[in-house]
Amino acid sequence: MTTPAAPIRILLVDDHPMVREGLVARLQAVPRFDVVGEAGGRAEALAQLQHGAPDVVLMDVGLKDGNGIALGAEMLAARPAMKLLMFSMYDNPEYVQRALTAGARGYVLKDAPASEIVSAIDAVAAGGTFLSAAVSGRLFRGQAPRPVLTPRESEILGQLGQGASSKQIARDLDLSVRTVEAHRQSIKRKLGLDGQAELIRYAVEHARQAR
């Protein structure tokens, strides 16, 4: 008799409870999948990593308490045998490149058909790679990334690239320093940037390209 293959153990990390609930239901309906945990943020994800010993981590790019790309890299360092599959609503080529550089084996869009998400998990679990069709098309055509920042965030990013501090930006835009700092955190999360120094480097480079 042939021994049945062990199920693919999956950890889902997404900060939207309704997204997690819907996706868990979809994945659990696949007999060869076993969702061993779900998490909404960094601390919970790291705890689940130790408890559930997942084969595949399906990770949202944008988390409220950090960015998923950096968290995924941290989890890979703790458990190199696991496979990281990024899960995002953005098909921004820059996100994809950052995710692959961080060690992700695939990148699938949240609005992809359920069959594509299943195929992505199967592919990375088997040691392969997977990019959603829309993602690979934009990545290899070299198209400019789709804007993901709000007009105010773009304005603040531009001023950061010119060397302005949060206090200077707050004064120039008639905002509170706290509001500017909140926008900076949002920009970092959306662009998958890890830390203030990386944000400034990105802002400076962005300003150069805009000239």
Side-chain angles (χ1 to χ4, degrees):
M1 294 178 60
T2 302
T3 303
I8 298 171
R9 299 165 62 85
I10 302 166
L11 170 60
L12 172 61
V13 184
D14 192 294
D15 58 8
H16 294 89
M18 291 185 67
V19 172
R20 293 201 308 272
E21 182 179 348
L23 192 54
V24 166
R26 281 199 250 175
L27 297 180
Q28 291 286 42
V30 180
R32 61 185 176 280
F33 291 170
D34 181 15
V35 180
V36 296
E38 54 179 289
R42 179 180 178 277
E44 194 176 2
L46 291 174
Q48 290 282 352
L49 181 67
Q50 298 302 320
H51 174 72
D55 301 308
V56 175
V57 174
L58 186 57
M59 172 75 70
D60 189 6
V61 168
L63 299 171
K64 291 179 181 176
D65 62 352
N67 79 75
I69 295 174
L71 176 58
E74 184 178 356
M75 294 172 75
L76 280 170
R79 186 178 171 81
M82 79 172 209
K83 305 298 191 298
L84 178 63
L85 173 61
M86 300 309 298
F87 185 55
S88 177
M89 62 185 294
Y90 303 116
D91 62 353
N92 188 321
E94 184 173 349
Y95 287 9
V96 182
Q97 293 284 13
R98 290 176 62 83
L100 298 178
T101 299
R105 301 300 298 265
Y107 194 107
V108 65
L109 298 179
K110 288 188 176 184
D111 61 358
S115 59
E116 185 170 294
I117 297 172
V118 169
S119 295
I121 293 172
D122 279 334
V124 300
T129 59
F130 188 97
L131 295 177
S132 283
V135 169
S136 60
R138 298 198 70 222
L139 183 67
F140 294 114
R141 285 197 303 269
Q143 294 178 354
R146 177 184 302 170
V148 297
L149 302 181
T150 66
R152 178 64 83 189
E153 288 168 348
S154 294
E155 192 173 17
I156 289 173
L157 182 66
Q159 293 214 18
L160 287 172
Q162 295 170 14
S165 66
S166 289
K167 288 184 178 180
Q168 291 171 319
I169 295 172
R171 183 177 62 249
D172 291 346
L173 301 182
D174 195 23
L175 301 171
S176 69
V177 173
R178 179 176 295 181
T179 297
V180 173
E181 288 295 331
H183 281 303
R184 288 177 66 147
Q185 292 297 324
S186 178
I187 292 168
K188 284 196 303 177
R189 179 174 59 83
K190 287 183 176 182
L191 297 179
L193 301 174
D194 188 18
Q196 296 297 335
E198 193 169 346
L199 170 62
I200 297 303
R201 283 197 297 271
Y202 180 92
V204 171
E205 185 61 31
H206 183 78
R208 287 175 184 162
Q209 292 176 358
R211 289 174 187 167

